[in-house]
Amino acid sequence: MDRRSIIGFVLIGIVLMSWLFWNNSTQKKPVDNKKTDTTATITDTTKKVTPNTNTADNSADKTPIKIIEKKDKNGKITRDTVKENVVPKNDTLTSSYGSIFAKLSAFYSDSTSKKNSEKIIQIENNKAKMEFSNFGGTIVKYIAKEYVTWDNLPVQLIEWKKGKELNLVFTSKDGKLISTENLVFQADYNAWERIDLEQKKDFKLTYTLNVSDDASQKIVKTYTFKADSYEFDVDFELVNSDKYISGSKYQVVWGSSLNLTERRSDDEATFAEAFAHMAGDLQQLDATKLDDPQKGDYNGNTDFVSSRNKYFGVFIIPVGRKGDGAYLSGFRENLKDKGVRENYTVAIKMDVKNEADEKSSFRILIAPMDYQILKAYGLDLEKTLRFALDFIVRPIAQYVIIPFFLFLHSFIPNFGFVIIVFAICMKIALNPLTKTQTNSMKKMGKLGPKMKELREKHKDDPVKANQAIMKLYKEEKINPAGGCLPMLLQLPILYALFGVFRSTIELRHAPFFGWITDLSAPDILFHLPFTIPIFGISDVTGLATLLGVTMFLQQKMSVTDPSQKALVYVMPIMLTLLFYSFPSGLNLYYFVFNVLSIAQQYYTTRKEKLKAENEVLVMDGTGTGKVSKTPLLKDRTLKK
């Protein structure tokens, strides 16, 4: 191996090992999301208002105990202790909500009023099951019917423990920051009523908050649903808002991130972000560091705000008029078992245009991050499908790989076979590059003795040696980068495939056969009792192992220089360990591609060997039928 090759491989090794070390530092052990502690309170920058109940009388360790005595049929008395719910006192509510809104709180009570009771209504269409509450007039549950979590539970996307969603936030006339999430709205349905949109296609859900006793000041929220869509609409009407809103401004807020749905929470956190689309540009907020909350405050025409996890997203889209700004906030937190979560709050700012009767409408989309679904809106929602090295990968992924995948999947139901067909097509498309690479490597191989001779001749002057070698390349019309250039041109494609296989909803939980049950995740065969240092590998996967075998065979067939023999073993082992953490779909693609390359290389080598053995068959003219092998010359005449 020459000095330049050694330096090149050392540099490659340094870069690869550094990347592996960085990648390992950001990866965590698998986390069972079902067991993850998600009770932590979100600190969102829209400052959701909740009554201050942290007093000595209602702290967790001093909750009043009520003793209930029960007598069975034999006269035996049993006693049960029950913790009583403690509600804030009215003066505490007034300090939090002010005099205008304290009486509308779910916690408010007086001697004449009855205790407020929560009324839940269930709405179901072909895509989702939803629940709404009159406490806040908000959505409290959203189940995507076509999907399940990694452990086969329903995909319930709303983090109900951390607050209800789609609230109004504003400053009241007495200077209190008000969130409507805990205010009691009036609703004209019975508790736990259920609506099937197949039967009631024109159903609308209306909530009314009477700010004044005579209903001359009020907030009305009206929801409209569709029978076959992830989307629903919400209209806000603020009547005489100048009497209870200060500054003529309000916000429509989604206050927490969507629920975790995948096996690894740290993997979901990698994709979690918040967005605001303004004047054609996508503003993004990514809380990547612990104890480093991120905030984004934007003014100007706003097309939509959004937050997402790995596979699902929520979008708030103004209808009829643009938003007047956006507010994003987020923070990162540790979970149990070395899990990680990123929490986001998104809000659209709205200016009051008509104090007597302010109206605004919004389209709410809670949906899988499906390119076709998002693209169909024509609002650049698909820009939230972000990839690493986005400016390179996105065009390849969105305009080549994903459309071609979906085209193949239209008549090939199994995505595993789609990947195999795609690998074959890519092999055919890249064949000219492969030929160029092979020819360049052959020419370089033939120049080996001459290059060695030149280095010996100028061994005391490395500069002259390099100049002589470059002159030799020019005379032989060889590009020294010809063997590497085709590989470099393939790297963006491979990187785009990595992004597609890792984050595309179509491949989520898509099985191939046997042990390969999810092409978007590693196909784990068994777990190691230890973790491989630097690589952070503790699982052995099937397709990555098979891929390593094909890499070894390729190296064995390609490397003929004894000084490079170590590469036959070192590179396949390192790359196999690297690919153990990659999605099985990517490993399947690369495995098929390598098998085709090995077959092509074997065919080409055998063909050239036969050609060399039978270049020219010339009769020896003795009549014995014997033949002799001679080189083919342009001016040679065949003997009779």
Side-chain angles (χ1 to χ4, degrees), residues 463-529:
V463 175
K464 276 192 175 183
N466 287 334
Q467 288 175 347
I469 290 172
M470 294 306 295
K471 183 178 179 181
L472 179 64
Y473 287 151
K474 188 174 182 180
E475 290 173 352
E476 298 291 336
K477 297 181 179 179
I478 293 176
N479 181 0
C484 300
L485 186 59
M487 296 180 66
L488 291 175
L489 291 175
Q490 292 182 55
L491 283 179
I493 298 173
L494 290 175
Y495 210 89
L497 284 169
F498 175 76
V500 168
F501 288 132
R502 194 172 173 221
S503 61
T504 302
I505 188 71
E506 288 85 357
L507 291 174
R508 180 182 184 264
H509 297 177
F512 182 29
F513 76 92
W515 77 96
I516 308 171
T517 58
D518 186 355
L519 289 167
S520 67
D523 56 311
I524 298 173
L525 291 178
F526 58 88
H527 302 283
L528 296 173

Side-chain angles (χ1 to χ4, degrees), residues 303-305 315-319 321 348 361-365 377 379 381:
D303 304 306
F304 67 83
V305 294
F315 299 81
I316 304 178
I317 308 166
V319 178
R321 60 181 266 206
I348 283 190
S361 300
F362 299 87
R363 187 179 299 163
I364 310 300
L365 178 64
Y377 280 83
L379 299 171
L381 304 186

